[in-house]
Amino acid sequence: MTQEIIKRRLPTEERQGEIIRVAVELAAERGVDSVTTQDMADAMNVTQGAIFKHFATKDDIWFGVMNWVRDRLMSVLDKAASEAADPLDAIERMFFAHITFINKHPAIPRLLFSEMLHKKSSKLRVLIQTIISGYETKIATLLDAAKEQGLVSDELDSQHAAVLYIGMIQGLVMQITIFNDKRSLLDEARKTFPIFLHGIKTRS
């Protein structure tokens, strides 16, 4: 991570944004479980006291991070869907927009699926559940629209197909983490998504 010395006085909201950015970068480097508030303070060249001026607890920092993830990811997905020609095109565009987002922010999957975050804070767990459930609903709604247009099978279970869609992204990320630089997330995504599409499309 490129360390940035932050000496200027910033408004609370802007300073919170800096802390969140540093937390995301550190999580990408070291994993969520290993990051401490002292690490964040060191990366920003401030004291821990300066961190806790803007967030009462470490959990509040991660809560802020997860809100940041939700806002950025949903913005990326909504933009991708808005450029689509039909519901299936929207789902494909969202899939690859999500993959590109993960490539830019490799800490995101670690944050969403961190056992430590889930167990430590019920507030965080509920927020993460809300993010994933909202995402599933977006995909299921698009699949229902695709049904109405005859693009997918009438018998498709839209809700569980949406679960499979998100599980596909999670599985790809897990494999890339295991194989490290031996596989490319984008290359594997390009090979995998057509199989998902083939499974849900209407047979002519």
Side-chain angles (χ1 to χ4, degrees), residues 64-135:
V65 166
M66 292 314 307
N67 274 307
W68 180 91
V69 170
R70 178 193 60 193
D71 293 346
R72 297 305 185 283
L73 178 58
M74 291 306 143
S75 175
V76 165
L77 297 178
D78 288 345
K79 183 177 185 299
S82 72
E83 297 168 350
D86 59 53
L88 278 188
D89 186 33
I91 290 171
E92 182 168 357
R93 285 173 181 268
M94 289 169 71
F95 178 83
F96 286 103
H98 192 162
I99 293 295
T100 300
F101 185 77
I102 291 170
N103 264 337
K104 289 181 180 176
H105 305 286
I108 301 306
R110 294 183 183 183
L111 290 162
L112 284 172
F113 303 110
S114 166
E115 187 177 357
M116 184 272 286
L117 292 185
H118 291 191
K119 286 183 175 179
K120 193 172 181 184
S121 169
S122 60
K123 186 171 78 166
L124 268 169
R125 185 170 61 252
V126 169
L127 177 58
I128 293 168
Q129 288 172 349
T130 300
I131 294 170
I132 294 173
S133 296
Y135 195 176

Side-chain angles (χ1 to χ4, degrees), residues 105-192:
H105 305 286
I108 301 306
R110 294 183 183 183
L111 290 162
L112 284 172
F113 303 110
S114 166
E115 187 177 357
M116 184 272 286
L117 292 185
H118 291 191
K119 286 183 175 179
K120 193 172 181 184
S121 169
S122 60
K123 186 171 78 166
L124 268 169
R125 185 170 61 252
V126 169
L127 177 58
I128 293 168
Q129 288 172 349
T130 300
I131 294 170
I132 294 173
S133 296
Y135 195 176
E136 287 176 356
T137 299
K138 278 179 181 288
I139 299 300
T141 300
L142 284 167
L143 288 170
D144 284 338
K147 274 187 194 179
E148 292 175 5
Q149 295 181 28
L151 299 173
V152 300
S153 169
D154 286 338
E155 298 178 356
L156 180 71
D157 182 333
S158 297
Q159 185 59 43
H160 284 91
V163 172
L164 178 62
Y165 166 97
I166 292 174
M168 180 168 54
I169 294 173
Q170 183 183 2
L172 285 170
V173 170
M174 188 178 296
Q175 284 205 14
I176 296 308
T177 301
I178 292 169
F179 286 96
N180 201 6
D181 58 352
K182 294 182 180 178
R183 294 185 184 181
S184 157
L185 180 59
L186 186 56
D187 287 347
E188 294 301 312
R190 285 173 178 152
K191 295 171 186 174
T192 303

Side-chain angles (χ1 to χ4, degrees), residues 20-87:
I20 286 169
R21 176 186 62 77
V22 167
V24 170
E25 290 179 358
L26 288 170
E29 283 183 2
R30 308 177 189 184
V32 179
D33 300 2
S34 300
V35 179
T36 67
T37 50
Q38 185 61 60
D39 293 331
M40 298 176 198
D42 290 345
M44 297 174 67
N45 198 34
V46 298
T47 65
Q48 278 197 78
I51 300 289
F52 288 120
K53 252 188 189 177
H54 300 283
F55 289 99
T57 68
K58 185 179 175 184
D59 284 352
D60 286 340
I61 297 173
W62 292 123
F63 192 78
V65 166
M66 292 314 307
N67 274 307
W68 180 91
V69 170
R70 178 193 60 193
D71 293 346
R72 297 305 185 283
L73 178 58
M74 291 306 143
S75 175
V76 165
L77 297 178
D78 288 345
K79 183 177 185 299
S82 72
E83 297 168 350
D86 59 53

